[in-house]
Coordinates of all heavy atoms in Angstrom, one line a residue:
S379 N -5.5 5.3 62.9 CA -4.1 5.5 62.5 C -3.2 6.0 63.6 O -2.0 6.1 63.5 CB -4.1 6.6 61.4 OG -4.6 7.8 61.9
L380 N -3.9 6.3 64.7 CA -3.1 6.8 65.9 C -2.2 5.7 66.4 O -2.5 4.5 66.3 CB -4.0 7.3 67.0 CG -3.4 7.8 68.3 CD1 -4.2 9.0 68.8 CD2 -3.4 6.7 69.4
I381 N -1.0 6.1 67.0 CA -0.1 5.1 67.5 C -0.1 5.3 69.0 O 0.1 6.5 69.5 CB 1.3 5.3 66.9 CG1 1.3 5.0 65.4 CG2 2.3 4.3 67.6 CD1 2.5 5.5 64.7
S382 N -0.2 4.3 69.8 CA -0.3 4.4 71.2 C 1.1 4.0 71.8 O 1.7 3.0 71.5 CB -1.3 3.4 71.8 OG -1.3 3.3 73.2
Q383 N 1.6 4.8 72.7 CA 2.9 4.6 73.4 C 2.5 4.0 74.8 O 2.1 4.7 75.6 CB 3.7 5.8 73.4 CG 5.1 5.5 74.0 CD 6.1 6.6 73.7 OE1 5.8 7.7 73.3 NE2 7.4 6.3 74.0
V384 N 2.8 2.7 74.9 CA 2.4 2.0 76.1 C 3.5 2.2 77.2 O 4.7 1.9 76.9 CB 2.3 0.5 75.8 CG1 2.0 -0.3 77.1 CG2 1.2 0.3 74.8
W385 N 3.1 2.7 78.4 CA 4.2 2.9 79.4 C 3.9 2.2 80.7 O 4.8 1.9 81.5 CB 4.4 4.4 79.6 CG 3.3 5.2 80.1 CD1 2.2 5.6 79.4 CD2 3.1 5.8 81.4 NE1 1.3 6.3 80.1 CE2 1.9 6.5 81.3 CE3 3.8 5.8 82.5 CZ2 1.4 7.2 82.5 CZ3 3.4 6.5 83.6 CH2 2.1 7.2 83.6
H386 N 2.6 1.9 81.0 CA 2.4 1.1 82.2 C 1.5 -0.1 81.9 O 1.4 -1.1 82.6 CB 1.8 1.9 83.4 CG 0.6 2.7 83.0 ND1 -0.6 2.2 82.4 CD2 0.4 4.0 83.0 CE1 -1.4 3.1 82.2 NE2 -0.9 4.3 82.5
G387 N 0.9 -0.1 80.7 CA 0.1 -1.2 80.2 C -1.2 -1.5 80.9 O -1.8 -2.6 80.8
R388 N -1.7 -0.5 81.6 CA -3.0 -0.7 82.4 C -4.2 -0.2 81.6 O -5.3 -0.5 82.1 CB -2.9 -0.1 83.7 CG -1.9 -0.8 84.7 CD -2.1 -0.3 86.1 NE -1.8 1.1 86.3 CZ -0.6 1.6 86.6 NH1 0.4 0.8 86.9 NH2 -0.5 2.9 86.7
V389 N -4.0 0.6 80.6 CA -5.2 1.1 79.9 C -5.8 0.0 79.0 O -5.1 -0.6 78.2 CB -4.9 2.4 79.1 CG1 -6.0 2.8 78.2 CG2 -4.4 3.5 80.0
E390 N -7.1 -0.1 79.1 CA -7.8 -1.0 78.2 C -8.2 -0.2 77.0 O -9.2 0.6 77.0 CB -9.1 -1.6 78.8 CG -8.7 -2.6 79.8 CD -9.6 -3.9 79.8 OE1 -10.4 -4.0 78.8 OE2 -9.5 -4.7 80.7
S391 N -7.6 -0.4 75.9 CA -7.8 0.4 74.7 C -9.2 0.1 74.1 O -9.6 -1.1 74.0 CB -6.7 0.1 73.7 OG -6.9 0.8 72.5
V392 N -9.9 1.2 73.7 CA -11.2 0.9 73.0 C -10.9 0.9 71.4 O -11.9 0.8 70.7 CB -12.2 2.0 73.3 CG1 -12.5 2.0 74.8 CG2 -11.8 3.4 72.9
V393 N -9.7 1.1 71.0 CA -9.4 1.1 69.6 C -8.3 0.1 69.3 O -7.5 -0.2 70.2 CB -8.9 2.5 69.1 CG1 -10.1 3.5 69.0 CG2 -7.9 3.1 70.1
D394 N -8.3 -0.4 68.0 CA -7.2 -1.3 67.6 C -6.1 -0.6 66.9 O -6.3 -0.2 65.7 CB -7.9 -2.4 66.7 CG -6.9 -3.4 66.3 OD1 -5.8 -3.5 66.9 OD2 -7.2 -4.1 65.3
V395 N -5.1 -0.2 67.6 CA -4.0 0.6 67.0 C -2.7 0.0 67.2 O -2.5 -0.9 68.0 CB -4.0 2.0 67.6 CG1 -5.3 2.8 67.2 CG2 -3.8 2.0 69.1
E396 N -1.7 0.5 66.4 CA -0.3 0.0 66.6 C 0.3 0.6 67.9 O -0.2 1.7 68.3 CB 0.5 0.5 65.4 CG 0.2 -0.3 64.2 CD 1.1 0.1 63.0 OE1 1.1 1.3 62.7 OE2 1.7 -0.8 62.4
V397 N 1.3 -0.1 68.4 CA 1.8 0.4 69.7 C 3.4 0.5 69.6 O 4.0 -0.3 68.9 CB 1.5 -0.5 70.9 CG1 0.0 -0.6 71.1 CG2 2.1 -1.9 70.8
I398 N 3.9 1.4 70.4 CA 5.3 1.5 70.7 C 5.4 1.1 72.1 O 4.7 1.6 73.0 CB 5.8 3.0 70.6 CG1 5.6 3.5 69.2 CG2 7.2 3.1 71.0 CD1 5.6 5.0 69.1
Q399 N 6.4 0.2 72.4 CA 6.5 -0.4 73.7 C 7.6 0.4 74.5 O 8.7 0.5 74.1 CB 7.0 -1.8 73.6 CG 6.0 -2.7 73.0 CD 4.9 -3.2 73.9 OE1 4.8 -2.7 75.1 NE2 4.0 -4.1 73.5
S400 N 7.1 1.1 75.6 CA 8.0 1.8 76.5 C 7.7 1.4 77.9 O 7.7 2.2 78.8 CB 7.8 3.3 76.3 OG 8.2 3.8 75.1
I401 N 7.3 0.1 78.1 CA 6.8 -0.3 79.3 C 7.8 0.0 80.4 O 9.0 -0.3 80.3 CB 6.4 -1.8 79.2 CG1 5.4 -2.2 80.3 CG2 7.5 -2.8 79.1 CD1 4.0 -1.9 79.9
C402 N 7.3 0.6 81.5 CA 8.3 1.3 82.4 C 9.3 0.3 83.1 O 10.4 0.7 83.3 CB 7.5 2.1 83.4 SG 6.4 1.2 84.5
G403 N 8.9 -0.9 83.4 CA 9.8 -1.8 84.1 C 10.9 -2.3 83.3 O 11.9 -2.9 83.8
H404 N 10.9 -2.0 82.0 CA 12.0 -2.4 81.1 C 12.7 -1.1 80.5 O 13.9 -1.2 80.2 CB 11.6 -3.2 79.9 CG 11.1 -4.6 80.3 ND1 12.0 -5.6 80.4 CD2 9.9 -5.1 80.5 CE1 11.3 -6.7 80.8 NE2 10.0 -6.4 80.8
F405 N 11.9 -0.1 80.2 CA 12.4 1.0 79.4 C 12.6 2.4 80.1 O 13.1 3.3 79.4 CB 11.5 1.2 78.1 CG 11.6 0.0 77.2 CD1 10.5 -0.8 77.0 CD2 12.8 -0.4 76.6 CE1 10.6 -1.9 76.2 CE2 12.9 -1.5 75.8 CZ 11.8 -2.3 75.6
Y406 N 12.1 2.5 81.3 CA 12.2 3.8 81.9 C 13.6 4.0 82.5 O 13.8 3.8 83.7 CB 11.1 4.0 83.0 CG 9.9 4.7 82.3 CD1 9.5 4.4 81.0 CD2 9.1 5.6 83.0 CE1 8.4 5.0 80.4 CE2 8.0 6.2 82.4 CZ 7.7 5.9 81.1 OH 6.6 6.5 80.5
L407 N 14.5 4.5 81.7 CA 15.9 4.6 82.1 C 16.2 5.7 83.0 O 17.3 5.9 83.4 CB 16.8 4.6 80.8 CG 16.6 3.4 79.8 CD1 17.6 3.5 78.7 CD2 16.6 2.1 80.5
D408 N 15.2 6.5 83.4 CA 15.4 7.5 84.5 C 15.4 6.7 85.8 O 15.7 7.3 86.8 CB 14.3 8.6 84.5 CG 12.9 8.0 84.4 OD1 12.6 7.2 83.5 OD2 12.0 8.3 85.3

Side-chain angles (χ1 to χ4, degrees):
S379 63
L380 179 141
I381 299 166
S382 170
Q383 186 165 12
V384 177
W385 60 288
H386 50 60
R388 291 193 298 266
V389 172
E390 286 222 11
S391 175
V392 302
V393 283
D394 179 17
V395 293
E396 289 182 305
V397 302
I398 298 163
Q399 296 280 5
S400 291
I401 202 83
C402 58
H404 292 276
F405 294 116
Y406 268 35
L407 304 186
D408 50 308

